[in-house]
Amino acid sequence: MGRREEHVGDELVVLFSHLEYACKRVAALVASPFNSSLGKDFSAAAAGGSADKPKPLDIVANEIILSSLKNSRKVAVMASEEDDAPVWLADDGPFVVVLDIDASIPTGTIFGIYRRLAELDHLPTEEKAILNSLQSGAKLIASGYVLYSSSFVPALGQEHMHSPWITPRETSF
């Protein structure tokens, strides 16, 4: 996996497994008729109709992904539009994950994965979280997106995109 000149090995596989698990949980939530109210923006009218204000589904999906990435022990920091600042997860995590979740048409998640910048470890947690999250796109080691609907559509990319269609009964990317 990864760029030809960079070996990312088993750690990235573990990270993808946890990300996949989280995205499947979000997909199940999106597909559930019992959670239809989560896709609605209850606060849009009160906030003047701001399109950037997180919807309930955005917030729940963000918490699901954050929890799964934290449990992987492979992510040092996660930055999401749903959080006010990047969240530091593990001092020994080798990766940084940046993402955005959008509950609209279509509902989906986009993400990018970087190597954690170990040279920033001496900085205060908040500062190193922000600086790790603001790396150049040229430093991405992987990226992708997931669309949630009646089928689960992930796309992962290192040098080339891989996009299988996964139905709710299938079990892996």
Side-chain angles (χ1 to χ4, degrees):
M1 293 185 133
R3 296 178 183 182
R4 286 186 198 136
E5 69 275 5
E6 181 176 7
H7 176 71
V8 292
D10 294 340
E11 291 180 322
L12 188 59
V13 173
V14 171
L15 169 56
F16 275 142
S17 294
H18 280 79
L19 187 58
E20 174 185 17
Y21 173 76
C23 289
K24 285 180 182 178
R25 287 186 58 204
V26 173
L29 188 64
V30 169
S32 173
F34 300 107
N35 293 305
S36 62
S37 63
L38 285 176
K40 297 179 179 140
D41 185 358
F42 297 116
S43 59
S50 173
D52 291 340
K53 185 143 182 81
K55 297 172 190 69
L57 180 60
D58 296 355
I59 295 166
V60 171
N62 191 67
E63 287 302 315
I64 289 169
I65 294 170
L66 177 68
S67 175
S68 190
L69 293 179
K70 185 174 185 176
N71 288 335
S72 78
R73 303 289 306 156
K74 301 299 178 195
V75 178
V77 63
M78 182 184 108
S80 169
E81 187 178 22
E82 277 61 57
D83 296 317
D84 292 333
V87 179
W88 193 263
L89 301 176
D91 288 334
D92 58 347
F95 300 110
V96 174
V97 176
V98 294
L99 60 93
D100 186 26
I101 301 158
D102 192 19
S104 62
I105 306 295
T107 298
T109 301
I110 59 172
F111 61 90
I113 300 172
Y114 297 94
R115 283 247 179 237
R116 177 179 54 88
L117 300 172
E119 63 269 22
L120 301 176
D121 285 351
H122 67 285
L123 296 173
T125 301
E126 186 175 316
E127 189 175 350
K128 67 183 175 183
I130 291 170
L131 292 173
N132 268 286
S133 302
L134 294 175
Q135 295 183 55
S136 163
K139 292 185 176 184
L140 278 169
I141 59 170
S143 63
Y145 64 88
V146 178
L147 299 177
Y148 311 109
S149 65
S150 59
S151 62
F152 172 64
V153 185
L156 304 173
Q158 279 92 26
E159 287 187 23
H160 305 285
M161 291 302 286
H162 174 68
S163 181
W165 286 77
I166 298 178
T167 64
R169 293 183 187 182
E170 294 180 59
T171 58
S172 63
F173 276 123

